[in-house]
Amino acid sequence: MNKVYSLMFAGVGGQGSLLIAELTSITAVHAGYDVKQTEVHGVSQRGGSVETHVRFGPKVYSPVVTPGEADAVIALEKLEALRFAHFVNPETGVIFVNEYEIIPGSVAGAADIYPYESIAYLRGKGLNVIALPASRIARDLGDGRMANVVMIGALSTRLPLPEASWQKALRTRLPSRYLEGNLRAFAAGWQAVQKEGG
Amino acid sequence: MEPIRNPKSEIENRPVRELLLGNQAIARGAWEAGVTFAAGYPGTPSTEIIETLAKRYPETDPRWSANEKVAFEEGMGASIGGLRVLVTMKHVGLNVAADAFMVFPYAGVNGGFVFISADDPGMHSSQNEQDNRYYGRMGKVPILEPSDAQECRDFVIAAFDLSEQFNTPVMLRTTTRLAHHKGLVEVGPRREVQQREFIPDPKRFSVPIYRKLLRPQVEERLEALRVYAETCPFNLLEHTGSKIGVVTSGISYQYVREALPEAGVLRLGMTWPLPARLLRDFCARYETVYVVEEGEPFIEEFMLSRGITNIKGQELFGVIGEQSPGRLREALQLGQTPRPFTENIRLLPRPPMFCTGCGHRTVFAALRQLRVTVSGDIGCYTMGALPPYEAEHTTFCMGASIGTAVGLEKAGHEKVVAIIGDSTFVHAGIPPLIDAVYNGSSLTLIILDNSTTGMTGAQPHAASGRNVLGQDAPKLNLVGICEAAGVENVTVVDTWQRKEVTRTIRKAVNYKGPAVVIAQGPCVQLPEMKYRDVPPYMVIEELCTQCDACFKVWCPAIKRTELNFPLIAGDECTSCTVCAQVCPTEAIVLQDTAVVI
């Protein structure tokens, strides 16, 4: 297999999109792939829109994902799904969306012009969108902050990365006191997509 | 360059590979090269280098210095004293350090001296773009540009040998994507390097009139480096049968390989001095040669000056922002890159904003209310210029708030407030404050004292009471230094006491003469704030009159319920108390208290 997989993780600063991108990269390393990841640090981490690119395959050159080539866009929030949807490969890619809304606090009147219907809109464009209530699933498991890990559980159904590599990445990267809950969050994300049959 | 292999892994016949950020790989390389002194000032995209040294490789004796010039000068001293030295800064940091940088090459090094210039094309977290390779050329020092995380490690190690071989400081130039991308890096053990002997030599180190004697040596060294550049191990030459060739450097090499897989490539790893013969020979083999670089047409201009004309560069690829595979394909008309979906739907922007619980909010709320002219500085508080506050009217560079305020005052703005963070004040705010007092200004200076360098992710500084290793350190007395500068009216206020903050700033603004307000309260990104075990606040809906006062605190943790009541997200609230202070009906209370009720 010569294919290089391109993934785009999007979210709002503080949601943990960088962490799940890193977990995916570590998983790909464990699975024996060459991996590159890129992220933007600094002021955008302060509640702004955050993007992280991950690419893995036998040999990866660019760490940057080009619009139109991503095998998956993983959006932790509905507006960010819209912002980064054009990165997905319109024929073969999937957009995973957490059905969760964060209204931009520093934009006047944002609540009135927020694109609540972004998922339907993207489906209307003929894109393959898998929407799941990751924040609610995580809250039901005891901590809404684990929505990010629910999302990679869902993502894992579409990547050629073995279950054991994911497990190893979660176990090595997460602090032990959060591990148990996150393993359950990961499994719940996987299950949510299986159920949908997406 | 063959990576040095870990002896243990030799047995397993596999090198040790780690997934490292470009900046972490630089730190790793410095450690392996036997660095025994490292200094820098935080600045995106360079910050993680010193942070990694502190966290993983304290043998390198890392430190945060007051500013980049001080870091550079400490490094010069350590190098002359015989240590191997790494100094780090973002692109604009070299502007600050330029005085030291321009003179050091005359003397040359003793222990190897490598400094990192982390350029930020695209201005992800900077006030301008600048291609610091021009500095390298002006200072007449060699410049290395790695293309991935592995080379970040390899080039740093090689740079120390180069520095000692040619007796020169070496610049390693990175750009944002290189510094902030992760890749697999083969690592090796640390080389212990013997400290070199310091031989006092006034002709070299101290007496300016001798600099005339040193001047020709700078040219001789540069000439030797020119010869070296033609065959140096930093370049990659990949010839193909294509009619198209590409000359490139840095991260752009990766984009070239994606966008033009068939093209012949000369990837320059050393971009000053440039190899004229190598470039000429390469270009002679191809019909057209594209020159792809991030920043200015630095290599391209050199090629043109050497009479190489079958090249195309900035006219196709531009000079603004970052390069990318998509941008190259579009420039060469190899394909259009999709744009965001915005047809019939609103793509709301999501600008960054103050963190939940950030102590800067009360200060900007007060400034907005007071309708004063505010000159800002470099830090998170540049966001005070954005809605909802819109209470910062100028921002230029580190420390500029105070000088700009003095000038605005002279231009007829009566009530001028300069606002600066504690770290930025230490970096570049003290001389302008001395000047403001000395020249009779009546400005108000607000020092946002959050005990850290916030925007770059919470690094300690001289007024924070801690050093880079997290140990207790002498703490600069901010009140004392303002008083020593001649400011008689200095007031310290708890930044979360909303009314007190407004009252104090108003008094300072109305005061005849210079005044300083120090708004104190730790940054919420500091571990002691982040992992504090305090109960959050909550809203008692029965007491709430829906007056919306709490929403005007603009706290991200305060949401709106479907019935229009405020709802405080318990896992986000930092218990800063500001919303409870503004509530006229005391409907916002600590969760613990509510249980008692």
Side-chain angles (χ1 to χ4, degrees):
Chain A
M1 181 202 85
N2 284 321
K3 180 176 164 58
V4 171
Y5 281 80
S6 296
L7 309 171
M8 166 64 88
F9 295 83
V12 178
Q15 275 195 299
S17 63
L18 183 57
L19 174 66
I20 55 168
E22 202 185 321
L23 285 166
T24 308
S25 294
I26 297 170
T27 304
V29 172
H30 288 323
Y33 291 106
D34 186 23
V35 181
K36 280 185 182 162
Q37 173 185 332
T38 178
E39 58 219 42
V40 170
H41 293 207
V43 74
S44 56
Q45 287 179 308
R46 305 279 169 265
S49 170
V50 178
E51 58 180 287
T52 311
H53 309 217
V54 172
R55 302 186 77 223
F56 68 90
K59 165 77 189 160
V60 179
Y61 287 107
S62 169
V64 177
V65 175
T66 303
E69 76 164 12
D71 296 281
V73 169
I74 303 89
L76 296 181
E77 199 271 350
K78 280 165 61 181
L79 167 59
E80 298 314 310
L82 186 62
R83 197 184 314 283
F84 293 100
H86 64 293
F87 276 84
V88 83
N89 183 317
E91 269 83 49
T92 59
V94 189
I95 303 173
F96 291 90
V97 188
N98 176 18
E99 294 170 286
Y100 187 66
E101 294 151 7
I102 301 176
I103 314 288
S106 53
V107 180
D112 300 327
I113 49 172
Y114 184 92
Y116 297 97
E117 71 282 21
S118 66
I119 293 169
Y121 172 83
L122 292 172
R123 284 190 175 133
K125 292 275 168 195
L127 299 172
N128 185 2
V129 180
I130 297 181
L132 63 157
S135 290
R136 205 187 66 214
I137 293 170
R139 247 192 330 271
D140 290 347
L141 290 170
D143 190 343
R145 287 176 297 182
M146 301 188 303
N148 58 349
V149 175
V150 174
M151 291 300 286
I152 47 168
L155 171 69
S156 72
T157 60
R158 297 301 178 97
L159 295 180
L161 300 173
E163 166 75 10
S165 302
W166 284 105
Q167 293 283 334
K168 196 174 162 191
L170 290 163
R171 286 176 196 282
T172 49
R173 178 62 182 79
L174 298 174
S176 54
R177 66 182 183 283
Y178 297 125
L179 182 62
E180 206 50 45
N182 277 298
L183 288 173
R184 272 185 292 152
F186 185 87
W190 184 84
Q191 221 165 23
V193 173
Q194 294 304 103
K195 247 187 260 164
E196 198 190 86
Chain B
M1 258 150 293
E2 267 302 293
I4 303 154
R5 280 154 206 268
N6 184 316
K8 184 172 167 271
S9 68
E10 205 85 281
I11 302 162
E12 298 163 4
N13 203 17
R14 208 180 60 163
V16 174
R17 294 198 307 170
E18 288 183 36
L19 189 63
L20 296 180
L21 209 56
N23 281 341
Q24 292 170 330
I26 288 171
R28 175 73 196 199
W31 176 77
E32 289 185 35
V35 162
T36 36
F37 182 87
Y41 181 81
T44 313
S46 73
T47 313
E48 298 81 7
I49 303 170
I50 294 287
E51 282 190 320
T52 305
L53 291 178
K55 213 162 155 189
R56 299 191 191 169
Y57 314 115
E59 308 91 301
T60 56
D61 195 6
R63 69 190 50 214
W64 289 125
S65 305
N67 63 38
E68 295 86 352
K69 180 173 187 283
V70 175
F72 205 99
E73 289 158 350
E74 289 170 343
M76 290 195 298
S79 163
I80 290 164
L83 303 178
R84 277 196 158 189
V85 173
L86 183 77
V87 177
T88 73
M89 61 200 72
K90 70 182 293 174
H91 60 332
V92 290
L94 189 51
N95 301 338
V96 177
D99 212 2
F101 161 65
M102 287 303 294
V103 72
F104 191 34
Y106 277 55
V109 305
N110 187 19
F113 183 104
V114 177
F115 71 100
I116 311 296
S117 165
D119 296 3
D120 188 15
M123 296 185 272
H124 292 284
S125 208
S126 302
Q127 64 267 34
N128 69 335
E129 288 188 339
Q130 65 183 48
D131 187 334
N132 276 6
R133 293 179 298 182
Y134 288 107
Y135 263 121
R137 191 173 82 183
M138 186 162 66
K140 298 174 188 281
V141 301
I143 305 171
L144 302 184
E145 287 192 74
S147 289
D148 61 16
Q150 179 70 59
E151 285 188 344
C152 281
R153 174 236 175 227
D154 298 346
F155 279 26
V156 166
I157 296 172
F160 279 98
D161 296 331
L162 187 70
S163 171
E164 288 170 4
Q165 184 189 340
F166 287 92
N167 182 30
T168 177
V170 174
M171 174 197 281
L172 190 120
R173 183 220 187 202
T174 66
T175 56
T176 304
R177 288 291 163 185
L178 182 70
H180 284 168
H181 91 284
K182 279 194 175 120
L184 285 166
V185 179
E186 290 187 13
V187 297
R190 176 168 165 93
R191 199 180 345 157
E192 291 305 336
V193 180
Q194 198 66 34
Q195 181 171 351
R196 294 183 166 204
E197 198 189 341
F198 170 51
I199 303 159
D201 180 355
K203 285 187 180 167
R204 233 182 116 187
F205 299 126
S206 52
V207 188
I209 50 162
Y210 288 126
R211 290 279 141 79
K212 279 186 188 169
L213 302 176
L214 297 173
R215 180 70 185 85
Q217 289 177 22
V218 176
E219 295 307 314
E220 284 160 23
R221 177 201 298 146
L222 199 59
E223 191 45 44
L225 281 161
R226 261 186 209 117
V227 173
Y228 172 82
E230 296 287 352
T231 55
C232 75
F234 302 104
N235 301 331
L236 280 178
L237 192 53
E238 296 166 342
H239 278 305
T240 65
S242 169
K243 286 178 180 167
I244 302 290
V246 180
V247 172
T248 186
S249 71
I251 193 76
S252 301
Y253 166 74
Q254 310 296 346
Y255 307 153
V256 168
R257 288 274 62 130
E258 297 273 348
L260 293 163
E262 312 292 329
V265 173
L266 170 58
R267 194 293 311 266
L268 297 170
M270 180 159 148
T271 49
W272 193 255
L274 283 161
R277 190 160 33 86
L278 181 63
L279 284 162
R280 207 173 287 128
D281 292 350
F282 178 82
C283 293
R285 289 178 68 141
Y286 297 91
E287 226 171 80
T288 306
V289 174
Y290 298 123
V291 187
V292 184
E293 30 193 341
E294 255 185 344
E296 301 294 326
F298 181 81
I299 301 169
E300 184 185 356
E301 283 172 351
F302 174 85
M303 292 168 79
L304 289 170
S305 78
R306 292 301 184 276
I308 304 169
T309 51
N310 59 330
I311 61 173
K312 285 195 167 113
Q314 58 150 336
E315 57 176 305
L316 285 176
F317 308 111
V319 295
I320 301 171
E322 298 183 277
Q323 296 295 350
S324 70
R327 179 167 165 175
L328 296 188
R329 281 190 202 108
E330 283 196 357
L332 296 167
Q333 298 180 323
L334 297 172
Q336 194 70 28
T337 320
R339 299 280 181 265
F341 296 95
T342 52
E343 190 191 314
N344 307 326
I345 198 156
R346 210 42 195 275
L347 191 53
L348 261 179
R350 194 188 295 279
M353 56 182 182
F354 294 122
C355 301
T356 301
C358 176
H360 299 344
R361 275 205 178 76
T362 52
V363 175
F364 282 102
L367 289 172
R368 184 184 168 84
Q369 199 186 331
L370 291 171
R371 297 179 181 280
V372 283
T373 304
V374 180
S375 62
D377 223 296
I378 303 294
C380 292
Y381 40 94
T382 56
M383 290 187 282
L386 303 174
Y389 302 107
E390 298 172 279
E392 200 180 279
H393 307 103
T394 67
T395 309
F396 295 108
C397 54
M398 294 290 283
S401 58
I402 302 169
T404 310
V406 170
L408 281 166
E409 197 184 18
K410 276 284 159 200
H413 289 253
E414 265 177 41
K415 292 179 176 176
V416 185
V417 175
I419 189 159
I420 191 169
D422 49 351
S423 184
T424 307
F425 180 69
V426 171
H427 177 286
I430 297 166
L433 179 63
I434 293 169
D435 178 84
V437 176
Y438 171 65
N439 280 311
S441 165
S442 182
L443 93 169
T444 296
L445 171 65
I446 300 173
I447 302 176
L448 299 166
D449 177 15
N450 63 0
S451 302
T452 196
T453 315
M455 192 164 80
T456 44
Q459 292 77 30
H461 56 73
S464 71
R466 243 168 270 168
N467 67 17
V468 72
L469 299 173
Q471 301 154 335
D472 288 342
K475 188 170 158 55
L476 174 72
N477 179 346
L478 289 174
V479 174
I481 203 156
C482 294
E483 285 175 350
V487 183
E488 285 167 13
N489 183 350
V490 183
T491 318
V492 179
V493 61
D494 176 344
T495 193
W496 287 293
Q497 292 307 313
R498 196 184 129 260
K499 279 187 184 160
E500 195 59 20
V501 166
T502 310
R503 206 177 57 83
T504 310
I505 296 175
R506 180 179 284 124
K507 257 174 82 180
V509 168
N510 292 332
Y511 180 76
K512 296 261 173 283
V516 173
V517 176
I518 301 175
Q520 237 168 25
C523 173
V524 292
Q525 295 293 337
L526 284 169
E528 64 260 39
M529 294 295 283
K530 233 171 165 172
Y531 306 113
R532 206 164 52 131
D533 197 17
V534 284
Y537 276 77
M538 63 172 290
V539 178
I540 303 172
E541 289 187 2
E542 290 75 18
L543 296 177
C544 175
T545 59
Q546 298 195 343
C547 73
D548 272 12
C550 56
F551 285 109
K552 293 189 181 119
V553 172
W554 304 105
C555 172
I558 305 179
K559 327 278 180 192
R560 203 181 279 275
T561 69
E562 276 171 25
L563 295 170
N564 222 19
F565 285 107
L567 173 77
I568 299 173
D571 51 1
E572 294 176 38
C573 174
T574 65
S575 302
C576 78
T577 75
V578 175
C579 60
Q581 290 172 41
V582 300
C583 180
T585 57
E586 293 179 27
I588 301 179
V589 297
L590 265 182
Q591 248 180 36
D592 275 8
T593 332
V595 174
V596 177
I597 290 167

